Amino acid sequence: MEILVIAVAGLLVIAAGNQLAPRVGVASPLLLLALGAGVGFLPFVSAIELDPDIVLEVVLPPLLFSTAVSMPVMDFRRELRAVAALAVGLVAVSATIIGLVVHAVMPTIALPWAIALGAVLSPTDAVAITVARGSGVSQRIITILEGEGLFNDATALILLSSATAAGIAHSADALQPAALVSGFLTSLALALAIGWAVGEGSIRVRSRITNPTADTVVSFTIPFLASLPTDYLGGSGLVAAVVAGLVISFRRPRLLPPAHRQTAQQNWRTIELILEGGIFLFMGLQAYGIVQDVVDGGFGLRAAVLLAAGTGALAVLVRVAFVAPLLVWLRRVRRRHRQHLEEERQRLERFETRLEQARDIDDELLAKHGLSAEQWHQAVTGWRDRLERGQRRQRRRGADLDYFTADPLGPREGAVIVWAGMRGAVTLAAAQTLPLTTPNRPFLLLVALLVASGSLVIQGLTLGGVIRLVRPRMASRTADDAERERLLRLLGDAATSRHADALTPAEARELAIETIRVQRHALLDARDEGLFSSSSLEYALERLDAKEILLTTAE
């Protein structure tokens, strides 16, 4: 009964925090974190400790899966370079530098355990990005931050595992770079393979389910179907859940009926609200128990606070030093991309000219090549298909270049990317996976808690001020409106030219439904070529879905 009362109270607190946040101008996760910490320090509340396996295996897979499903795959593909650099390179660099500095400042913390602490403090939290999502910055910044938060856990957990093994072996030599790279690639390969297989298989199964409620129930199992076998085989279960979510995000508009997608989306938003709110609430509630362990163990609270402040600041400085050259490199890649695009355009034009000439055939030319007229026609048809594939690829690359040109990443945007990279619940959960025999374990847990909560509070509360100060490129509603007009014209062109004047009401309704489906296919073809922004595509897709649901439910 007591657990039930606590659960009900927690749900009410999460709902209240979600409603109160817009009124006080503070993100809901920050309110819940502060409330949890306040309740945890009340004298009649006993110390609370949440099993880290619950966070890593039960809470995070569905949360990251939900974020991946809602992420436009087109935008993620475009930002893959930046995401990979931040999720792998930055985490590895941050963990190493933080570990070396911690060991130098506090020699009592052996180097392997110092690097383990660095691995814990390095990854940003995809859940914490909710603080930045409502700030009005461009979707490109949000995509990079979310993509980084979705994939950097794998790098951090592999580094943590290797550093822990080295610490247990009492040898820093056990931190072999070759072994780390091999372990990372193996873990990533398993996650990609299993995540893709689960995502592709589950979306095909769901396409055969006729009941939207049953389809939603099946969707609840997908993150665990991806993460559990991957974890068992030694891969990254969190990355597998993310990959499955990305596959479903890309495939579901073509395979799932609108009613199924809408029902699942609404239910997943509820699950996301509960899990996201609960993880920050429990993060605050655990503060008292961690502090008490440090006091009981004779460790200095002052030393923990100073070390947390230093490592938190160092993590931000390392992020600045990494993001600045990353933006320069991305600009150079864009210039090379423009040059290659022009070369590809000229090559396709030459190929098209030769193809036009190949249509003029005579008996002498056929005899020269030893082909019949039918064989020559088949060859020309194959060349035409090859040309069309090249032109589609050219249009997509051109659309990608337009995307980068219209929304460039400069120093102002880089400042937001740096400051919005907050630590969160993953940091605390990863720290709690340290073995009980870890030297100074309560001290390390407190440092992780202080860095995570300090990052959320300081960076979260000041992010709006930083945005107003640096004035980055913001999301443009005017540009979105103009693009939506072009997109609606595309849908009008895709609609059938048949008229419903001479049709019965049932036939007219079937014609309208078929027209909507033709428009949806045209819309998704435009998505695959990258011709419109993800926000405009989502807007048009929601309109089509609403119309089809209205028609299919009408009697």
Side-chain angles (χ1 to χ4, degrees):
M1 180 64 72
E2 182 180 355
I3 296 178
L4 179 60
V5 171
I6 293 174
V8 171
L11 291 175
L12 292 175
V13 168
I14 292 170
N18 184 262
Q19 285 295 108
L20 185 61
R23 299 183 181 182
V24 298
V26 177
S28 177
L30 300 182
L31 286 179
L32 295 172
L33 177 67
L35 178 62
V39 172
F41 276 90
L42 292 176
F44 55 84
V45 177
S46 58
I48 296 174
E49 182 175 356
L50 184 64
D51 187 344
D53 289 339
I54 294 178
V55 177
L56 295 174
E57 298 178 6
V58 179
V59 177
L60 286 181
L63 264 179
L64 298 183
F65 171 82
S66 178
T67 302
V69 168
S70 61
M71 175 180 287
V73 178
M74 178 180 67
D75 291 351
F76 177 78
R77 174 185 60 79
R78 287 167 167 168
E79 303 296 351
L80 188 57
R81 288 188 182 91
V83 169
L86 293 172
V88 180
L90 179 56
V91 171
V93 171
S94 297
T96 303
I97 292 177
I98 291 174
L100 292 173
V101 171
V102 168
H103 178 63
V105 173
M106 300 188 69
T108 55
I109 301 178
L111 181 59
W113 296 116
I115 292 180
L117 178 63
V120 165
L121 302 180
S122 296
T124 57
D125 195 332
V127 180
I129 304 304
T130 54
V131 179
R133 193 177 291 121
S135 60
V137 296
S138 68
Q139 181 60 36
R140 188 176 181 190
I141 293 177
I142 298 299
T143 300
I144 291 174
L145 292 172
E146 285 186 340
E148 176 193 5
L150 288 173
F151 284 94
N152 59 14
D153 300 331
T155 309
L157 292 176
I158 290 172
L159 283 172
L160 176 60
S161 176
S162 299
T164 300
I168 294 174
H170 302 287
S171 173
D173 295 335
L175 286 169
Q176 295 291 338
L180 290 175
V181 172
S182 175
F184 174 77
L185 293 178
T186 302
S187 175
L188 185 62
L190 281 170
L192 291 175
I194 296 176
W196 177 85
V198 170
E200 186 67 27
S202 63
I203 197 68
R204 292 183 179 276
V205 170
R206 292 174 63 190
S207 67
R208 299 176 181 273
I209 298 175
T210 57
N211 188 305
T213 305
D215 172 68
T216 302
V217 172
V218 172
S219 75
F220 289 157
T221 68
I222 296 174
F224 303 106
L225 292 175
S227 64
L228 292 177
T230 308
D231 283 332
Y232 179 78
L233 294 174
S236 173
L238 297 180
V239 172
V242 170
V243 172
L246 290 173
V247 171
I248 291 173
S249 173
F250 182 76
R251 298 279 283 161
R252 64 176 180 170
R254 291 190 188 273
L255 296 179
L256 296 185
H260 289 208
R261 284 185 273 116
Q262 190 177 80
T263 302
Q265 186 175 11
Q266 291 296 329
N267 284 283
W268 268 105
R269 284 177 180 171
T270 303
I271 296 295
E272 189 174 343
L273 175 65
I274 294 172
L275 294 179
E276 183 181 291
I279 202 170
F280 286 105
L281 188 62
F282 270 100
M283 186 175 170
L285 288 170
Q286 292 181 93
Y288 172 75
I290 294 174
V291 171
Q292 191 62 42
D293 287 342
V294 172
V295 173
D296 294 342
F299 303 104
L301 289 177
R302 182 173 179 272
V305 172
L306 291 176
L307 184 61
T311 52
L314 180 61
V316 174
L317 292 176
V318 172
R319 189 172 178 86
V320 171
F322 191 92
V323 169
L326 174 63
L327 297 182
V328 174
W329 176 67
L330 290 175
R331 284 197 295 271
R332 291 180 178 176
V333 169
R334 189 181 68 188
R335 286 197 293 268
R336 290 199 301 269
H337 185 78
R338 187 186 300 276
Q339 181 180 354
H340 293 162
L341 189 67
E342 179 61 24
E343 294 173 354
E344 178 74 6
R345 184 188 63 80
Q346 295 175 0
R347 189 184 68 81
L348 287 175
E349 287 180 351
R350 292 193 298 269
F351 185 79
E352 187 173 16
T353 300
R354 292 198 301 269
L355 185 60
E356 291 296 329
Q357 295 172 351
R359 291 182 174 182
D360 301 327
I361 59 173
D362 52 33
D363 294 338
E364 182 180 352
L365 183 62
L366 292 175
K368 178 181 178 181
H369 291 280
L371 298 173
S372 66
E374 182 179 356
Q375 290 173 326
W376 184 264
H377 177 71
Q378 291 176 349
V380 170
T381 301
W383 294 334
R384 170 61 62 182
D385 293 340
R386 178 182 171 187
L387 175 63
E388 290 177 353
R389 289 195 299 270
Q391 289 173 336
R392 285 196 298 269
R393 185 170 58 250
Q394 176 81 353
R395 286 194 297 270
R396 189 178 72 174
R397 291 176 176 174
D400 291 348
L401 185 60
D402 292 340
Y403 166 84
F404 294 130
T405 304
D407 195 7
L409 294 178
R412 299 174 186 272
E413 291 74 25
V416 176
I417 292 174
V418 168
W419 199 245
M422 288 166 273
R423 277 66 187 165
V426 173
T427 292
L428 185 57
Q432 289 176 321
T433 63
L434 290 171
L436 296 177
T437 56
T438 301
N440 306 317
R441 184 177 185 272
F443 181 82
L444 298 179
L445 286 181
L446 180 58
V447 171
L449 172 66
L450 292 174
V451 170
S453 56
S455 171
L456 284 169
V457 173
I458 296 173
Q459 292 174 244
L461 291 178
T462 59
L463 180 60
V466 170
I467 291 173
R468 289 190 295 271
L469 178 65
V470 301
R471 292 183 296 177
R473 186 180 297 270
M474 307 295 282
S476 173
R477 182 171 296 275
T478 303
D480 287 346
D481 291 341
E483 188 177 56
R484 287 175 181 178
E485 289 295 328
R486 291 195 297 114
L487 204 154
L488 292 177
R489 286 197 297 271
L490 170 69
L491 295 181
D493 294 339
T496 179
S497 59
R498 292 175 59 189
H499 298 285
D501 297 339
L503 300 178
T504 65
E507 291 173 335
R509 185 163 63 89
E510 289 299 323
L511 176 61
I513 293 174
E514 181 61 28
T515 299
I516 290 173
R517 290 172 180 170
V518 170
Q519 290 176 316
R520 182 180 293 110
H521 280 289
L523 182 67
L524 295 176
D525 289 341
R527 177 202 66 179
D528 294 344
E529 294 186 8
L531 300 181
F532 298 95
S533 68
S534 57
S535 59
S536 297
L537 289 168
E538 184 179 359
Y539 163 79
L541 186 61
E542 287 177 352
R543 286 186 52 154
L544 292 179
D545 288 348
K547 291 179 180 178
E548 184 172 347
I549 291 173
L550 182 63
L551 289 170
T552 53
T553 56
E555 296 182 355

